[in-house]
């Protein structure tokens, strides 16, 4: 039997893409056995596993609908700039609001935004008893603020709470660190924006099919202005993390003695169109979120069609990147 795994990236407001990708998997009957995520990927994982199958898409939709900001301008790119600036100045009511940080106080108060609203949303939308029941394994990644060590919380060994989700998505200096035990923890994306090494670096005894949803493209057109260069900077910082780790894991796998299980990683990424801005991670406009959701759903549907049409054979770890031909509007 092949184990299904879902790997989810961090990316703040880009995370709506993850919800659309999961919807396509749900509609195709490809429910994961194990979900691992970082930052908004960790939150998405908990929203999925913390609800019964028939309510999962609805809960994701509720989370993102509450996060949306109405689009008031007919000029789409201008509306997205305005939405991102508004988020930076005013926050989002269902997620966080600005505050004056206490510069000489405990780390948990040092941040530009107060995320109490998000904690309340998570506690309302997630059944943590179901999340920790073990039917679907969930792993979330954070980073130790002092040592820089990666810290993974896994329902196989730990009872997850809202604290763990808040820690995994605590992007400093915007969001304050979260204390768990004797550690101050911050956003896992600072170490691994997709926790591929935690999942694929473990010895596997059975075949595995992993769907990897990235929020930053590894390849894109060369930008011709400063805003495009800034956007591409964030793409490369995060996407290259994942690319390098996947290549290292594939090389390591080839050195392992037989017999090896078959591990297929189907990788899709949000190939942002020209309308996105360099502040795309803070753009919660309703048009942007709706477009990202549909992009995730469409991309995963295409990935499933391609993978199942010609499933590769043989043991070992194989990466299957699915890239979108933007001009033709289809995958290749």
């Amino acid at each position: 039997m092949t184990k299904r795994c879902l790997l989810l990236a961090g990316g703040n407001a880009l995370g709506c893409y993850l919800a659309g990708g999961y919807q396509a998997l749900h509609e195709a009957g490809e429910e994961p056995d194990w979900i691992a995520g970082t930052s908004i990927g960790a939150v998405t994982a908990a929203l999925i596993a913390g609800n019964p199958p028939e309510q999962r898409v609805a809960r994701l939709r509720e989370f993102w609908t509450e996060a949306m900001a109405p689009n008031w301008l007919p000029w789409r790119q201008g509306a997205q700039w305005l939405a991102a600036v508004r988020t930076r100045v005013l926050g989002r009511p269902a997620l966080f609001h600005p505050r004056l940080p206490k510069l000489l106080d405990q780390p948990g108060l040092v941040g530009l935004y107060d995320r109490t609203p998000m904690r309340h949303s998570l506690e309302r939308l997630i059944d943590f008893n179901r999340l920790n029941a073990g039917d679907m394994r969930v792993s979330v990644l954070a980073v130790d603020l002092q040592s820089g060590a990666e810290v993974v919380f896994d329902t196989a060994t730990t009872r997850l709470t809202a604290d763990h989700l808040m820690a995994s998505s605590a992007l400093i200096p915007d969001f304050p660190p979260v204390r768990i035990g004797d550690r101050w923890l911050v956003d896992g994306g600072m170490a691994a924006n997709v926790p591929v090494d935690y999942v694929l670096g473990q010895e596997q005894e059975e075949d595995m099919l992993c769907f990897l949803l990235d929020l930053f493209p590894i390849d894109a057109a060369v930008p011709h202005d400063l805003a495009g260069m800034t956007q591409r900077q964030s793409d490369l910082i995060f996407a290259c993390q994942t690319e390098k780790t996947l290549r290292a894991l594939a090389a390591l796998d080839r050195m392992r003695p037989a017999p090896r299980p078959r591990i297929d990683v189907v990788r899709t990424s949000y190939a942002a169109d020209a309308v996105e801005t360099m502040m795309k991670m803070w753009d919660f406009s309703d048009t942007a979120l709706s477009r990202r959701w549909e992009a995730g759903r469409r991309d995963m549907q295409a990935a499933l069609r391609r993978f199942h049409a010609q499933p590769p054979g043989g043991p070992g770890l194989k990466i299957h990147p699915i890239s979108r031909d933007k001009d033709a509007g289809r995958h290749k």
Side-chain angles (χ1 to χ4, degrees):
M1 183 176 178
T2 301
K3 180 189 295 184
R4 260 64 173 170
C5 180
L6 183 57
L7 299 170
L8 302 176
N12 207 15
L14 302 177
C16 212
Y17 179 87
L18 308 176
Y22 170 74
Q23 182 182 5
L25 289 175
H26 176 76
E27 292 169 343
E30 297 277 4
E31 293 289 348
D33 304 296
W34 184 5
I35 312 180
T38 300
S39 196
I40 191 62
V43 171
T44 303
L47 286 165
I48 295 169
N51 283 286
E54 67 276 8
Q55 294 181 11
R56 289 169 182 166
V57 174
R59 284 290 180 267
L60 289 168
R61 184 78 68 180
E62 186 174 354
F63 176 84
W64 285 106
T65 298
E66 292 177 358
M68 283 181 178
N71 182 357
W72 297 328
L73 294 179
W75 176 34
R76 192 168 69 170
Q77 191 165 21
Q80 292 184 213
W81 271 105
L82 178 62
V85 171
R86 188 168 62 228
T87 297
R88 291 303 257 162
V89 174
L90 302 176
R92 293 302 310 139
L95 300 177
F96 51 85
H97 57 78
R99 68 175 179 192
L100 292 176
K102 298 182 178 181
L103 300 179
L104 298 176
D105 210 322
Q106 60 177 321
L109 296 178
V110 178
L112 298 176
Y113 302 97
D114 181 344
R115 292 202 297 162
T116 300
M118 180 170 172
R119 178 183 293 276
H120 292 162
S121 293
L122 296 177
E123 291 173 344
R124 174 172 52 84
L125 296 173
I126 298 169
D127 180 345
F128 283 92
N129 289 327
R130 175 179 286 274
L131 172 63
N132 290 285
D135 295 338
M136 184 182 290
R137 182 178 177 182
V138 175
S139 308
V140 302
L141 175 67
V143 170
D144 187 305
L145 179 61
Q146 181 176 14
S147 68
E150 296 182 25
V151 181
V152 178
F153 299 102
D154 192 319
T155 55
T157 58
T158 305
R159 179 175 176 80
L160 296 188
T161 67
D163 280 344
H164 299 97
L165 306 180
M166 298 291 285
S168 181
S169 56
L171 181 64
I172 55 173
D174 301 295
F175 306 135
V178 176
R179 185 165 189 167
I180 297 179
D182 59 355
R183 285 173 149 174
W184 287 104
L185 301 174
V186 297
D187 196 300
M190 296 181 180
N193 203 47
V194 187
V196 290
D197 51 344
Y198 179 73
V199 174
L200 301 178
Q202 298 186 25
E203 290 287 343
Q204 304 293 337
E205 297 180 355
E206 56 188 321
D207 293 345
M208 179 182 290
L209 173 57
C210 290
F211 298 100
L212 191 162
L213 288 170
D214 207 340
L215 296 178
F216 301 93
I218 187 66
D219 61 337
V222 175
H224 297 285
D225 55 30
L226 186 59
M229 289 292 181
T230 303
Q231 181 181 156
R232 188 63 182 141
Q233 178 195 50
S234 61
D235 290 345
L236 292 173
I237 287 173
F238 292 116
C240 287
Q241 278 186 8
T242 305
E243 181 75 11
K244 184 176 181 180
T245 303
L246 286 172
R247 289 180 180 177
L249 289 169
L252 180 63
D253 182 77
R254 288 192 291 270
M255 294 171 16
R256 288 176 177 162
R260 295 179 295 164
R262 170 179 158 181
I263 302 175
D264 293 300
V265 180
V266 179
R267 181 184 183 186
T268 68
S269 60
Y270 176 50
D273 58 33
V275 177
E276 293 287 6
T277 72
M278 67 181 185
M279 295 180 67
K280 60 186 179 180
M281 289 193 293
W282 297 94
D283 174 13
F284 286 87
S285 62
D286 51 7
T287 52
L289 295 187
S290 297
R291 188 176 65 254
R292 293 165 188 163
W293 183 300
E294 287 308 310
R297 184 167 179 252
R298 182 181 62 247
D299 288 0
M300 182 54 69
Q301 287 172 338
L304 288 169
R305 286 194 301 269
R306 174 176 170 178
F307 179 77
H308 290 306
Q310 294 181 319
L317 174 62
K318 298 178 180 62
I319 315 300
H320 311 281
I322 309 295
S323 60
R324 184 167 59 180
D325 183 337
K326 299 178 192 175
D327 294 331
R330 61 179 183 274
H331 282 73
K332 61 182 179 180

